[in-house]
Amino acid sequence: MIAEMDDILVGQEERGLADRLGLGPRAALPLYASYYGLTESPFDLTPNSRFLYLSARQREALSNLRYALASAKGFTLILGEAGTGKTTLVRTVMAGLSDSSRYVLVNNPTLRRQEFYEFLATSFGFSAAAATSKTRFLEELRTDVEARFAAGGLTGLIVDEAQSLPHELLEEIRLLGNLETATTKLLNIVLCGQPELADRLNDPSLRQLKQRVALRCELGPLSLAETASYVSGRLRIAGGTPNEVFTRDAVLAIYDASQGIPRTV
C-alpha cells in the first residue's frame, strides 16, 4: 500500500541536526515552483540534510553511525548503491557532533599518497612541515589525538566514495587505524562507499583492514510506501501540498522509474 501523501517525513530531531548545517533555500527556483506554492526546489541532487528521509534501514544506519562517531570504535563501514543517501547521512551526523570532537571528511579519495597526507595535514590544522613529511604528520597526529582524547574528545577520518580509493591509500588508512592505547582506539575511521568496497575488502591483501571493521551499515532502495513518503516529505519541506502535486498513479510511476533510489526520484 502507498503511504498517505501527507505522511510526516522528517522528525524534529533530524530537522534540528539538519538546520544546524545552515543550508537555506536555493535562490534559483524551478519554473513550476510558484504554481505549486514551493519556496525552494524539493528535488535537488545536492546532499541537503534538511531533506533527510529516514526509512527503517536508514534510521538504523543513522543510529549506528552516531554510535560509531561518539565512541572509540576504530573502523566503520557504510555501504550502499549510488544515490541511496550515504553522503547525506554522514553530513547529518557530523553536524550533530560535539565541539570537543574533530572529524575530517575526505570526499575525493582519488589522491596520490603525498596529496592525501597534505590534505589531512591542512584539514587538521597541522604545520606546513606535516604536509610534506609523513614522519612529521604522524608525530603531530598522535600528539593531537592523544590531547583531544585526554580532554574527553574524539578524532576521526571519514572517507566518502571509498570504493575509489587506490590500494596504497587503503593500506595507509589501515595503518592510521593503529593509533591506539592498550585499551582504546584513538582514531575513528569511517569508510563510506558503494558495494564494490565490500568486494575489495574481500581481497586477501586487505584482510587485515577487513578484520578491523567494528561496525557495518548498509543502505538500500526505498520501498513503494517509503518512496511515497519520501516524495511527500520533500514537497512539504519545500512549502508545497503533496496531494496537489502528485496523484497516486504518478507516485507509482515515479517508483517504477526510480526503483526506489532516492537520488533518481
Side-chain angles (χ1 to χ4, degrees):
M1 296 294 293
I2 301 178
E4 292 298 323
M5 287 297 292
D6 59 354
D7 281 349
I8 296 174
L9 172 63
V10 183
Q12 292 180 351
E13 180 184 11
E14 284 73 29
R15 283 180 185 273
L17 284 175
D19 287 343
R20 286 199 288 273
L21 292 178
L23 296 173
R26 293 174 62 87
L29 295 178
L31 295 177
Y32 60 79
S34 60
Y35 180 83
Y36 289 111
L38 302 175
T39 58
E40 57 185 307
S41 178
F43 298 108
D44 276 347
L45 296 179
T46 54
N48 187 339
S49 293
R50 290 185 62 250
F51 290 91
L52 175 67
Y53 173 73
L54 293 176
S55 67
R57 182 178 290 184
Q58 287 174 313
R59 189 176 296 277
E60 180 182 2
L62 180 69
S63 297
N64 286 337
L65 185 56
R66 281 176 174 161
Y67 172 66
L69 298 191
S71 55
K73 300 304 296 182
F75 280 90
T76 297
L77 193 63
I78 301 178
L79 299 173
E81 292 288 354
T84 51
K86 300 183 297 299
T87 301
T88 303
L89 202 69
V90 165
R91 293 192 178 189
T92 298
V93 175
M94 289 183 69
L97 293 173
S98 68
D99 294 336
S100 62
S101 295
R102 178 73 179 276
Y103 280 83
V104 167
L105 173 64
V106 179
N107 53 19
N108 183 4
T110 56
L111 302 171
R112 294 190 294 271
R113 184 171 62 179
Q114 182 54 46
E115 293 172 331
F116 177 70
Y117 282 112
E118 181 180 355
F119 178 85
L120 293 185
T122 301
S123 299
F124 278 115
F126 295 164
S127 69
T132 58
S133 167
K134 180 180 175 181
T135 300
R136 183 64 178 271
F137 171 84
L138 293 176
E139 291 173 351
E140 294 191 23
L141 179 63
R142 173 167 286 280
T143 299
D144 183 67
V145 299
E146 288 179 345
R148 187 170 294 107
F149 184 76
L154 294 171
T155 308
L157 170 65
I158 301 174
V159 183
D160 202 1
E161 301 293 342
Q163 77 280 350
S164 299
L165 280 166
H167 187 91
E168 68 170 353
L169 282 193
L170 278 171
E171 179 63 12
E172 293 293 333
I173 290 171
R174 180 187 72 81
L175 294 173
L176 289 177
N178 289 338
L179 280 170
E180 58 190 7
T181 67
T183 58
T184 306
K185 296 290 185 181
L186 293 177
L187 186 68
N188 278 338
I189 298 175
V190 177
L191 299 178
C192 185
Q194 296 174 26
E196 301 93 279
L197 175 60
D199 295 336
R200 292 189 63 190
L201 292 181
N202 286 329
D203 189 302
S205 64
L206 293 173
R207 65 186 182 281
Q208 293 185 67
L209 175 55
K210 182 180 179 180
Q211 292 167 358
R212 284 169 167 76
V213 175
L215 287 174
R216 175 172 172 150
C217 314
E218 294 192 33
L219 299 178
L222 304 176
S223 67
L224 175 57
E226 290 167 344
T227 299
S229 292
Y230 174 83
V231 171
S232 172
R234 292 188 77 99
L235 288 169
R236 183 182 296 278
I237 293 170
T241 302
N243 288 335
E244 296 179 358
V245 181
F246 293 115
T247 64
R248 292 170 61 88
D249 287 343
V251 174
L252 279 168
I254 289 170
Y255 175 74
D256 288 340
S258 67
Q259 292 299 297
I261 301 296
R263 186 184 295 165
T264 62
V265 168

